Amino acid sequence: MPAAGTPVYFALLPRTVLLDVAGPAEVFRVANKYIPGAFELHFCGPSNGMESGLPGLRLAGLEPLPERLPAHAIAVVAGTVGADMAWQETETRLLVQWLARRHAEDGFRLMTVCWGALLAAAAGLLHQRACTSHHSCLDMLARIDPAARVLDNRIFVEDGRVMSSAGYTAGIDLALHVTAGLCGPRVASAVAREMVVYLRRAGDDPAVSPWLEHRNHLHPVVHRIQDAIVQDPAAAWTAEAMARRAHTSSRHLARLFARHAGCSPLDYLHRIRVAMARELVRESDLSLENVAERSGFGSVHHMRRVWRKFETTPPGAWRGGGAENDAH
């Protein structure tokens, strides 16, 4: 992430669906609590004031559409209420023109929520790209740009520097995905927990990171133990130590994990330790003995034995050259 953080520009039209804006904006705002300055939020539009999608609620003090965007910026285009009317309005035409011009010249990342994908298509930004939108917009999206690869039944789709989501709460899912990429999966997981939402992924995305697996539940005791393990995977965790932290018996904690996380406390611990060991092997020159020690394993033999449960390639294969390198 650039030192100054990632600028995020929410480009708004009259009658903007507020959840399409507030949901992703809240994800980025909460992420700033964990990494201060990670995101710089801007709210802009073709005019500095307009009616929102909620009758009687007016948006004021919006910034003008910027003349230039940094290449590492993200522009967010949300849906509107009364989309048919929006096509006839000057603000829509100005926003489409701005998107086409600025994306071609500045190369920023584009994130659309719901009907916002149609604006991106009108600007020529979805040509031959995979994309999605709200199910009610898919046919129109395909008509606007027949060369766009429109996908249905998807939460969100990322194709190069253009990301699109199905709308409403799917915008939150996409913002969490962006946060995981820029701030790390553990920050995204913390944001999701604070917002009391699930961390989901699009249908053909890569497997969920081990740091995020088994977290799509709302049980506070299980989350408490998972948080403690993630914060210090190498601690002397035993079934009894986890049970004491949970203020319950080890047998009851095992039942809670099975019901809400879909795994045992020990399996969760091992997944996190293997994930930590894999990062150390890949990103450092530490010997496997040191990797095992720092990850909480009693020995290299113990690490290998647990590793084989979750990985198909041995630890040394994750070194820079990709070959087994256990002599380090």
Side-chain angles (χ1 to χ4, degrees):
M1 178 182 296
T6 299
V8 182
Y9 293 86
F10 290 85
L12 309 182
L13 287 176
R15 301 179 308 284
T16 289
V17 177
L18 293 183
L19 183 56
D20 288 0
V21 176
E26 183 67 3
V27 170
F28 299 138
R29 184 195 70 81
V30 175
N32 280 343
K33 294 173 59 177
Y34 296 95
I35 301 182
F39 297 99
E40 302 170 0
L41 303 187
H42 303 267
F43 300 91
C44 57
S47 59
N48 64 0
M50 60 187 69
E51 293 296 328
S52 74
L54 290 178
L57 180 57
R58 183 171 177 80
L59 304 176
L62 299 178
E63 301 175 14
L65 295 172
E67 295 183 1
R68 289 191 63 85
L69 273 74
H72 68 287
I74 299 172
V76 183
V77 182
T80 66
V81 176
D84 292 341
M85 185 189 312
W87 287 117
Q88 313 302 320
E89 296 175 334
T90 301
E91 290 92 341
T92 302
R93 175 175 54 81
L94 292 174
L95 180 56
V96 169
Q97 292 173 350
W98 177 81
L99 284 172
R101 182 174 63 255
R102 293 271 52 87
H103 195 267
E105 295 182 13
D106 301 338
F108 55 85
R109 296 175 73 188
L110 176 65
M111 173 177 163
T112 70
V113 185
C114 192
W115 188 79
L118 277 66
L119 297 173
L125 305 186
L126 299 185
H127 195 68
Q128 297 183 340
R129 291 186 187 271
C131 57
T132 195
S133 184
H134 190 270
H135 61 83
S136 65
C137 300
L138 296 178
D139 289 342
M140 184 181 296
L141 182 57
R143 288 196 298 271
I144 293 174
D145 187 349
R149 293 186 286 120
V150 180
L151 306 179
D152 62 359
N153 195 29
R154 297 290 296 277
I155 300 170
F156 62 82
V157 175
E158 181 173 11
D159 189 335
R161 298 185 69 77
V162 176
M163 303 169 285
S164 52
S165 63
Y168 298 107
T169 58
I172 297 175
D173 293 301
L174 180 51
L176 287 168
H177 171 75
V178 170
T179 300
L182 291 174
C183 302
R186 279 175 278 187
V187 171
S189 179
V191 172
R193 290 198 303 276
E194 182 160 338
M195 293 180 63
V196 198
V197 297
Y198 289 136
L199 250 175
R200 301 183 294 187
R201 60 189 178 100
D204 63 351
D205 276 358
V208 176
S209 162
W211 301 103
L212 302 181
E213 282 186 307
H214 306 292
R215 300 304 299 258
N216 281 356
H217 63 86
L218 298 176
H219 199 282
V221 171
V222 178
H223 275 310
R224 185 191 314 152
I225 302 306
Q226 290 175 316
D227 287 342
I229 290 172
V230 166
Q231 289 168 10
D232 190 4
W237 293 112
T238 63
E240 292 73 21
M242 287 185 270
R244 286 195 298 271
R245 179 69 69 93
H247 305 294
T248 186
S249 68
S250 56
R251 180 175 296 181
H252 184 58
L253 183 62
R255 285 196 293 263
L256 290 177
F257 261 77
R259 178 178 178 182
H260 297 283
C263 65
S264 71
L266 184 60
D267 272 346
Y268 183 78
L269 172 65
H270 283 167
R271 284 181 182 274
I272 296 301
R273 284 180 171 174
V274 168
M276 183 177 182
R278 189 174 62 228
E279 291 180 4
L280 289 172
V281 169
R282 185 177 59 230
E283 299 173 8
S284 76
D285 293 325
L286 292 172
S287 68
L288 291 185
E289 288 78 9
N290 285 336
V291 168
E293 180 181 358
R294 293 194 183 194
S295 303
F297 295 106
S299 65
V300 174
H301 175 72
H302 182 210
M303 181 177 73
R304 287 183 180 280
R305 180 162 53 83
V306 176
W307 184 289
R308 285 194 293 268
K309 294 174 59 178
F310 306 108
E311 298 290 346
T312 57
T313 55
W318 289 81
R319 294 279 188 200
E324 181 70 45
N325 198 12
D326 290 356
H328 283 278

